[in-house]
Amino acid sequence: MENEKKPSAVSDVRAWAMNVISSVGIIMANKQLMSNKGYAFSFATTLTGFHFAVTALVGLVSNATGYSASKHVPMWELLWFSIVANMSITGMNFSLMLNSVGFYQISKLSMIPVVCVMEWILHNKHYSREVKMSVVVVVIGVGVCTVTDVKVNLKGFVCASLAVLSTSLQQISIGSLQKKYSIGSFELLSKTAPIQALSLLVFGPFIDYYLSEKLITNYKISTGATLFILLSCSLAVFCNVSQYLCIGRFSAVSFQVLGHMKTVCVLTLGWLLFDSELTFQNIMGMLLAVVGMVIYSWAVEIEKKSNTKTSLPHMKNSLTEEEIRLLKDGVEKTPLKDVELGESKG
């Protein structure tokens, strides 16, 4: 049993490591690409379209070479998912533009309880007291180290609410579609990426113009900017694949909770690489968030063990009833010589 679990545990760690490293890497690359001190490429939505275009290309090559198999998923489900996913991306960009950084961070933190409520409504999923407590600790910890000024306005609140709801629904749908159609994470991503890429590349420049009042056609591309765009797109492939992989293996809630490790890494690397200020409040918040993540991991394991224990007696009862039914209905009606010789007819 231990040997069977070890590869799974190693794969889980690899999936989380890939997601954290690629996510932190893409944030750092985009910071250099989009900041005024860097290459001032302020077209976030279009850049996301590039990300999904490269991801779609990788998926196409993978299917053509036989590395991955294509499974059928109804087109209406793919379109619906892509619309929700693009609403998430656009909503987040608008939320960041219209709200203060503090309120933007609060809206991101609210995704954990929103995902919990949505999974309860959609899938009747319940959480233990330990899991709920650990989620509260993580939210408080990340809130302490990221939330500063909080200013709210109606437009910003509407965009933030739309972003939170669509992002939560998208992440829950990733796991649901994988289970519903028995499709792997990379295969599902290969089907959704082309639709997202096409729609974001068509509408992205208009959204970016509204956000930044700049046209991408007027941007003067340089060799450095091109290299960072390619780096960002390459990291996005790993980031997208690992997101689908993690949610498929765990749950949308686990992805959100442990995903805040990326926030801790970004703050730390920002301090090390970009001379960002790291206050005592930041440090205490990060420590509290990490403690919450450790408690969450422990709480999930406790919940799994308790579910396993409670399911065993029911399993035994069902087997016993089956044995009784076979004894009554099968053996009594079977000729004695067939039972003695162990023969079966037909």
Side-chain angles (χ1 to χ4, degrees):
M1 289 293 291
E2 290 181 2
N3 292 333
E4 290 177 3
K5 288 180 181 178
K6 280 181 181 178
S8 178
V10 170
S11 299
D12 292 347
V13 171
R14 285 176 181 170
W16 279 119
M18 186 195 298
N19 185 256
V20 171
I21 293 170
S22 60
S23 297
V24 173
I26 201 171
I27 289 170
M28 293 298 159
N30 288 352
K31 187 171 183 178
Q32 179 65 23
L33 177 64
M34 302 180 76
S35 67
N36 291 326
K37 293 182 180 179
Y39 296 99
F41 186 85
S42 56
F43 310 100
T45 313
T46 307
L47 180 62
T48 308
F50 293 156
H51 290 169
F52 280 106
V54 174
T55 303
L57 181 62
V58 172
L60 184 66
V61 172
S62 178
N63 288 332
T65 55
Y67 181 77
S68 60
S70 179
K71 291 186 178 181
H72 175 71
V73 179
M75 180 56 69
W76 72 268
E77 293 235 46
L78 296 176
L79 288 171
W80 174 84
F81 175 84
S82 299
I83 290 170
V84 173
N86 287 350
M87 283 174 62
S88 166
I89 295 165
T90 307
M92 281 296 178
N93 288 341
F94 273 97
S95 176
L96 184 59
M97 182 191 75
L98 297 172
N99 295 310
S100 64
V101 175
F103 185 76
Y104 175 75
Q105 290 294 342
I106 288 176
S107 66
K108 288 181 69 177
L109 289 173
S110 69
M111 284 182 199
I112 300 177
V114 169
V115 168
C116 291
V117 172
M118 290 183 75
E119 285 202 320
W120 171 64
I121 294 171
L122 297 173
H123 302 136
N124 196 29
K125 188 171 183 179
H126 298 274
Y127 299 92
S128 65
R129 184 179 61 182
E130 290 81 6
V131 169
K132 293 175 184 175
M133 288 174 58
S134 63
V135 165
V136 171
V137 173
V138 172
V139 169
I140 292 173
V142 177
V144 167
C145 65
T146 59
V147 177
T148 51
D149 61 315
V150 179
K151 296 177 183 177
V152 187
N153 60 78
L154 182 59
K155 286 184 180 179
F157 180 79
V158 171
C159 288
S161 300
L162 182 66
V164 169
L165 290 172
S166 56
T167 302
S168 302
L169 185 58
Q170 179 227 4
Q171 293 182 356
I172 292 171
S173 298
I174 289 173
S176 299
L177 288 173
Q178 288 187 49
K179 291 175 183 177
K180 185 176 180 180
Y181 296 104
S182 300
I183 188 171
S185 54
F186 186 70
E187 286 75 19
L188 179 60
L189 179 61
S190 298
K191 289 183 174 295
T192 58
I195 303 172
Q196 287 187 255
L198 181 62
S199 55
L200 288 172
L201 289 175
V202 170
F203 297 107
F206 299 101
I207 296 169
D208 289 330
Y209 178 74
Y210 180 82
L211 292 171
S212 64
E213 297 182 351
K214 295 178 183 178
L215 285 171
I216 192 170
T217 52
N218 295 334
Y219 180 77
K220 294 182 180 179
I221 195 74
S222 63
T223 304
T226 304
L227 290 174
F228 268 92
I229 289 172
L230 291 174
L231 175 62
S232 181
C233 290
S234 302
L235 289 169
V237 174
F238 292 100
C239 187
N240 289 329
V241 170
S242 60
Q243 179 188 8
Y244 280 55
L245 195 61
C246 287
I247 294 175
R249 285 176 173 271
F250 308 104
S251 69
V253 176
S254 296
F255 182 76
Q256 280 291 333
V257 171
L258 299 181
H260 280 298
M261 178 60 73
K262 292 177 279 189
T263 305
V264 175
C265 293
V266 168
L267 287 172
T268 305
L269 287 174
W271 173 63
L272 291 172
L273 301 177
F274 298 100
D275 295 324
S276 300
E277 185 181 4
L278 197 64
T279 64
F280 178 75
Q281 179 179 330
N282 295 143
I283 296 170
M284 293 305 297
M286 287 190 290
L287 290 175
L288 187 60
V290 171
V291 169
M293 292 172 204
V294 173
I295 296 172
Y296 178 83
S297 302
W298 166 79
V300 168
E301 286 301 315
I302 294 294
E303 195 173 52
K304 284 181 183 177
K305 289 178 181 178
S306 64
N307 290 339
T308 304
K309 287 179 180 178
T310 53
S311 64
L312 285 174
H314 296 294
M315 191 183 296
K316 181 61 183 172
N317 289 338
S318 63
L319 288 171
T320 305
E321 290 168 5
E322 182 69 14
E323 290 167 358
I324 293 170
R325 188 185 65 78
L326 287 171
L327 284 171
K328 287 182 178 179
D329 299 339
V331 177
E332 289 178 358
K333 296 177 182 178
T334 306
L336 182 61
K337 65 177 183 179
D338 286 349
V339 175
E340 290 173 346
L341 297 174
E343 295 175 358
S344 58
K345 294 183 178 180

